[in-house]
Amino acid sequence: MNWQRKMNKALVRFTGFQIERVGKAASGAEAPPVPEVRPPADPQTDRLLESPVFLLSPVRSGSTLLRSMLNAHSALHAPHELHVRRLRVQFDTALAGRAMAALGHNQADLEHLLWDRVLHRELVRSGKQFIVDKTPANAFAFERIATCWPDARFVFLVRHPASIATSWHEASPGRRTPEEAALDALRYMKAVQRARSALPGLTVKYEELSAEPERVTREICAFLGLAWEPRMLTYGEQQVLEKGLGDWRDKIRSGTVQPARALPPEEEIPDALKPICRTWGYLT
């Protein structure tokens, strides 16, 4: 296959195009790795956002509830899931790549500029001080997010792994079995745990948030250097309730904190989830 790679390189060099196997783009695979991911060369000019907050959590862990409570604070703008890490930049010609390289930008640098600009625009439109992004899939890109925004702050939200798996199955019962839901949700849990091990931040348990919302939100505000506001406990009606952008079910529509489901007994916890249960303190 060396001759094919050489031919593709030549095509890219002289035309900016390359040959790809039919169906490759639609396979659902991750995009190819971008060039070197590095911090902003000049943070003062390369970044408009200051101290963005990222809520890293598995799916179905109460992140929409916490997002809603944070968004009720006068200084925090926490919109629906934004998925900015999926916004890509590409060079349609080799000449465009060379031109950007001459300015000191690679593909990853330009994507970071785009991400920062999109979030900053949203923040400015809100009139608030700090933006909060709670997209669960951000856990898979925590290293790049932390590199993009060196002053980012991280709040980790965890929940009993078996409760996450049950809720994930209930969200789309025709799409995945309970066993498949547990394994799929475990991917997110492991990603969040990797982020917790690598980054400084504050860890919050969903069960404690729902049982003692004032105490937990006070801890979050202290971590963010903000005064606590009572309005966080009655976050009110949500503007965006749509599957894929956050929780959309009746519980979140209530506008107030609802009790968490009862924790499952140990014998009902899938074996695959027991190690992460122990790591997060739900099993001894």
Side-chain angles (χ1 to χ4, degrees):
M1 293 296 181
N2 282 338
W3 67 270
Q4 292 177 327
R5 285 194 290 270
K6 290 178 180 178
M7 183 177 70
N8 250 338
K9 287 182 179 179
L11 278 172
V12 171
R13 179 179 178 186
F14 292 108
T15 71
F17 297 96
Q18 66 178 352
I19 297 174
E20 290 188 358
R21 184 175 300 170
V22 174
K24 183 178 180 181
S27 66
E30 287 285 329
V34 297
E36 178 191 359
V37 175
R38 53 200 181 188
D42 184 355
Q44 294 299 315
T45 56
D46 291 351
R47 295 294 177 268
L48 299 178
L49 279 182
E50 293 185 7
S51 304
V53 180
F54 290 90
L55 173 57
L56 299 185
S57 67
V59 292
R60 309 307 304 171
S61 58
S63 60
T64 298
L65 170 63
L66 182 51
R67 176 199 69 76
S68 303
M69 299 172 78
L70 295 177
N71 190 55
H73 194 286
S74 61
L76 298 174
H77 179 49
H80 59 80
E81 295 172 15
L82 297 174
H83 299 274
V84 291
R85 79 181 187 96
R86 293 302 190 184
L87 302 181
R88 303 287 187 187
V89 168
Q90 68 179 35
F91 301 135
D92 285 343
T93 66
L95 186 59
R98 287 165 52 196
M100 291 299 99
L103 295 179
H105 305 309
N106 65 19
Q107 180 183 344
D109 298 332
L110 294 174
E111 289 178 351
H112 290 171
L113 289 172
L114 172 61
W115 299 356
D116 184 75
R117 184 66 181 87
V118 169
L119 292 184
H120 182 261
R121 179 181 184 272
E122 177 63 22
L123 178 62
V124 169
R125 285 163 57 89
S126 76
K128 295 188 177 184
Q129 186 177 3
F130 301 108
I131 197 162
V132 180
D133 185 4
K134 75 92 171 175
T135 309
N138 281 344
F140 295 106
F142 72 87
E143 293 172 308
R144 187 163 179 190
I145 288 171
T147 302
C148 177
W149 291 283
D151 62 344
R153 295 169 294 173
F154 296 92
V155 176
F156 307 104
L157 177 64
V158 300
R159 184 184 184 185
H160 194 297
S163 298
I164 291 175
T166 298
S167 183
W168 193 222
H169 168 65
E170 292 173 349
S172 299
R175 185 175 178 180
R176 54 182 79 88
T177 66
E179 294 76 17
E180 291 169 340
L183 293 177
D184 190 39
L186 182 58
R187 295 188 303 114
Y188 288 86
M189 300 180 216
K190 288 181 175 179
V192 170
Q193 183 55 34
R194 288 193 293 270
R196 287 183 68 211
S197 299
L199 300 173
L202 176 69
T203 296
V204 172
K205 285 190 174 182
Y206 168 70
E207 293 82 4
E208 294 180 1
L209 175 67
S210 60
E212 301 178 86
E214 179 174 341
R215 176 183 66 80
V216 174
T217 52
R218 282 184 180 275
E219 289 178 359
I220 296 173
C221 287
F223 171 71
L224 298 177
L226 300 172
W228 181 77
E229 296 180 357
R231 70 180 77 181
M232 299 176 74
L233 302 183
T234 52
Y235 56 84
E237 183 180 355
Q238 300 302 292
Q239 298 300 311
V240 179
L241 292 173
E242 182 179 337
K243 193 172 184 178
L245 300 181
D247 198 351
W248 70 100
R249 299 193 298 178
D250 290 342
K251 199 169 185 179
I252 197 68
R253 293 179 188 274
S254 68
T256 57
V257 181
Q258 302 294 307
R261 71 173 74 211
L263 297 185
E266 183 173 351
E267 60 271 16
E268 294 181 9
I269 301 173
D271 288 341
L273 299 182
K274 287 182 178 179
I276 196 74
C277 285
R278 294 187 180 94
T279 299
W280 289 356
Y282 289 99
L283 281 180
T284 57

